[in-house]
Amino acid sequence: MVSPRDLDRNRKDDYVAAWIVSVQQKLRWNILGTAAYLGNKGTDVLTTTYVNLVNPATGVAPYPAFGPVTWRGNVGNSTFEALQLNARRAFQSGFLLSTNFMWSHSINDGSIGGGESDTPQDSFCRSCDKGSSDDDVRLMFNLSAVYQLPFGAGKPYLSNPGVRRTIFGGWEASAIGTAQTGLPVNVTIDRSNASVPGLFSIGGEERPNYVYGVPLTPAGGSIPTGWINAAAFSTPASQTFGNLGRNAFRAPGISQLDLGLSKYVSITERMSIRLRADAFNVFNRAQFGAPNADVSASNFGVITTTISNYATGRGTPREFQLSAKIIF
């Protein structure tokens, strides 16, 4: 069986316009503060959709002998805007501090050039799928700090050679903290092809109606068993699309604190060893992924995964690591 595909032979090259405005100010305690506004606008972004669909007005497809045809062309759009605040204290007197905050919004129409490949709910109206992009993180905060304890050679205390300098000297503590809001979740519903206007043999992207006034999160809802309120959605009437926008819901936010402690031990004048202990996700906070977003599923709203299935990295359970490094 032949499955035809269509490629816009006259498609334009996509382009991105970017801009940034920033202001820096030196603050007390040798802290450099920065405030910046940045953004970009993607135009003629690569898009995938379907053509040769049944026209809802006529009930006939342009070429009835064929089914839906995959179409690729540069008709998508995207925007990104962000406010960034940064404070940094350069490494002085054994102390380094850097902190960043970003308030942003990434919007697109699900185009593949925007990092996604979502099929629009209504292939005759791709702009109707305009919404938060799949990787839209609305709020993000990072903090990192390094502190060299004031003991040992060249330090204010215990600088003279001896047992105490050997024991208490050369220690360094570090911390990295991150927190961000959850990623968007696209709530969908299973419907028969006959129930959707102008579509056949295409499914999985239809969205339900939102019941206005009903909270999206159920009263007493919890992670991971009840993150979305099923009562907030209903099945659209036959031959109508759901009124719920794309990516209208959010997964839980994530946060993590990592701590490190290291000690430098001199072996010779030109060689030393750094002994280090790290604790990742110190508070052992569960980092949940997105919930099941299919309203028709029995486990709708239930979270069954974490944000990471890897053995190391962000999102794992609390981990400890010991390491040694030879420096020469």
Side-chain angles (χ1 to χ4, degrees):
M1 179 178 180
V2 178
S3 298
R5 297 184 180 182
D6 188 14
L7 179 66
D8 185 0
R9 67 175 63 185
N10 298 316
R11 69 182 190 182
K12 303 175 182 179
D13 291 334
D14 60 339
Y15 66 92
V16 176
W19 56 90
I20 182 171
V21 178
S22 65
V23 178
Q24 289 187 333
Q25 176 68 45
K26 187 175 182 180
L27 309 174
R28 295 180 61 185
W29 304 300
N30 292 320
I31 294 177
L32 179 65
T34 304
Y37 162 70
L38 59 92
N40 62 60
K41 169 66 174 69
T43 305
D44 296 331
V45 178
L46 178 63
T47 294
T48 60
T49 186
Y50 290 91
V51 293
N52 196 43
L53 303 174
V54 173
N55 189 320
T58 64
V60 179
Y63 302 96
F66 298 95
V69 177
T70 303
W71 181 90
R72 291 167 67 92
N74 286 25
V75 296
N77 292 277
S78 67
T79 60
F80 174 79
E81 294 183 283
L83 170 66
Q84 294 181 335
L85 302 176
N86 172 270
R88 178 180 176 84
R89 183 185 190 277
F91 199 87
Q92 297 181 27
S93 302
F95 182 61
L96 168 70
L97 175 67
S98 178
T99 180
N100 306 274
F101 172 77
M102 183 174 72
W103 177 27
S104 65
H105 195 186
S106 175
I107 300 173
N108 64 21
D109 52 13
S111 54
I112 194 171
E116 297 150 42
S117 57
D118 299 332
T119 301
Q121 175 179 231
D122 182 357
S123 294
F124 294 99
C125 182
R126 186 169 195 95
S127 62
C128 297
D129 263 28
K130 181 179 179 180
S132 297
S133 64
D134 290 354
D135 55 359
D136 176 49
V137 178
R138 199 62 56 87
L139 300 173
M140 176 178 287
F141 175 78
N142 298 298
L143 182 145
S144 60
V146 178
Y147 179 58
Q148 292 180 341
L149 276 63
F151 310 113
K155 303 296 183 181
Y157 308 103
L158 304 180
S159 59
N160 296 324
V163 176
R164 290 192 299 171
R165 191 181 84 170
T166 301
I167 296 175
F168 297 105
W171 288 96
E172 180 180 277
S174 61
I176 298 177
T178 61
Q180 70 176 60
T181 52
L183 292 172
V185 174
N186 190 35
V187 178
T188 62
I189 188 171
D190 297 337
R191 302 176 66 190
S192 65
N193 294 331
S195 299
V196 184
L199 299 180
F200 53 90
S201 299
I202 300 173
E205 299 296 334
E206 294 85 15
R207 296 189 291 271
N209 282 334
Y210 171 58
V211 181
Y212 293 100
V214 178
L216 289 173
T217 302
S222 62
I223 304 175
T225 57
W227 185 244
I228 311 180
N229 187 8
F233 310 100
S234 64
T235 303
S238 181
Q239 298 303 308
T240 64
F241 288 111
N243 61 22
L244 184 68
R246 183 176 69 94
N247 286 344
F249 197 68
R250 293 270 166 176
I254 58 177
S255 62
Q256 183 167 319
L257 176 64
D258 304 330
L259 299 178
L261 183 65
S262 61
K263 177 177 173 59
Y264 289 86
V265 180
S266 296
I267 304 300
T268 66
E269 187 174 315
R270 303 178 64 177
M271 180 181 292
S272 63
I273 295 178
R274 187 188 72 169
L275 305 175
R276 184 176 179 88
D278 292 284
F280 303 100
N281 194 7
V282 173
F283 298 112
N284 202 29
R285 186 179 186 274
Q287 310 286 7
F288 290 106
N292 186 319
D294 185 351
V295 176
S296 304
S298 59
N299 62 342
F300 171 70
V302 177
I303 299 175
T304 59
T305 62
T306 58
I307 64 169
S308 173
N309 294 321
Y310 297 103
T312 60
R314 190 178 67 164
T316 62
R318 180 169 52 220
E319 295 180 337
F320 297 97
Q321 175 180 282
L322 300 177
S323 62
K325 181 179 180 179
I326 299 176
I327 303 172
F328 58 92

